[in-house]
Amino acid sequence: MKEQTSAVILASGFSTRMQTDKCFLTYEGQTFLNRTVELAREAGLFEVIVVVRPEQYVNCHFPEDVKVVINRKALQGQSAAVKLGTVEATGQHLLFLPIDQPNLTKELLRKIADRGRSDKIVFPVYHNHPTTPIFFGNDFIEELLKVTGDEGGRSVRDRFPESWRAIFTQEAQLVDIDTPESYHELLHCNEPVSC
């Protein structure tokens, strides 16, 4: 299924809790954004799409096979990025990735995509809560195009629990780096969960 799945990297947020653009934070010699792009490419997905704001794009350097989508409506919330990525995708299915989970592995991305089907929504579970990345089979594309404000793909996921396929996995790779404190822990402990 991964060969039919477009990776959509949602990178056009404003990182308000971090107080600086998370895309350009570095970890193990790479920016969060470049790390996520490389991860998606290595996972063997159909294509990689990155949604960024215009002011971010000037600082981005991606391989030629990465499709860049400029989000000029980022102030409208995460839904704008979700809709742009959905429209630009040419794969049959979608896998949405954040840029603030720098410990994700290509094995997890492959597992999520391979568990997917047209009528399934696949996501990892962390501390009994659904989290990202999240796969949407093509049955949900029309629903993704209707999201508004900051609701993003989670609102679609939450409306269709009968379509869920949850993947339970090690927690370290699912930790979001959303605050200066969590970034500090990542850099100094290399295990933000248990430092």
Side-chain angles (χ1 to χ4, degrees), residues 4-19:
Q4 302 167 350
T5 301
S6 297
V8 180
I9 299 170
L10 302 175
S12 60
F14 290 96
S15 309
T16 51
R17 286 185 288 169
M18 183 61 74
Q19 302 167 4

Side-chain angles (χ1 to χ4, degrees), residues 13-147:
F14 290 96
S15 309
T16 51
R17 286 185 288 169
M18 183 61 74
Q19 302 167 4
T20 190
D21 194 336
K22 290 186 282 190
C23 288
F24 304 110
L25 295 176
T26 58
Y27 179 58
E28 295 183 347
Q30 292 179 294
T31 66
F32 278 22
L33 181 54
N34 285 339
R35 186 177 181 86
T36 307
V37 167
E38 183 177 309
L39 175 71
R41 291 177 75 228
E42 289 176 353
L45 300 166
F46 177 74
E47 67 183 341
V48 177
I49 299 165
V50 180
V51 183
V52 294
R53 298 188 318 272
E55 63 272 21
Q56 292 170 307
Y57 180 67
V58 297
N59 296 310
C60 295
H61 306 285
F62 301 118
E64 288 183 20
D65 63 337
V66 173
K67 187 185 296 186
V68 179
V69 179
I70 305 298
N71 184 359
R72 290 183 169 80
K73 298 180 179 182
L75 288 172
Q76 293 179 6
Q78 189 180 50
S79 62
V82 168
K83 290 191 276 193
L84 283 169
T86 300
V87 166
E88 289 297 321
T90 57
Q92 290 184 27
H93 314 291
L94 300 168
L95 178 63
F96 288 98
L97 290 92
I99 52 97
D100 60 0
Q101 290 176 310
N103 286 313
L104 286 175
T105 64
K106 62 186 174 193
E107 291 79 17
L108 178 60
L109 297 188
R110 289 175 183 155
K111 187 173 185 178
I112 293 170
D114 286 340
R115 298 266 328 263
R117 298 290 176 266
S118 295
D119 62 343
K120 296 299 176 195
I121 300 171
V122 185
F123 51 85
V125 172
Y126 174 60
H127 289 286
N128 294 319
H129 295 286
T131 186
T132 53
I134 184 168
F135 170 98
F136 290 96
N138 61 7
D139 288 3
F140 301 97
I141 289 177
E142 290 303 316
E143 294 294 326
L144 290 165
L145 293 173
K146 295 176 188 174
V147 297

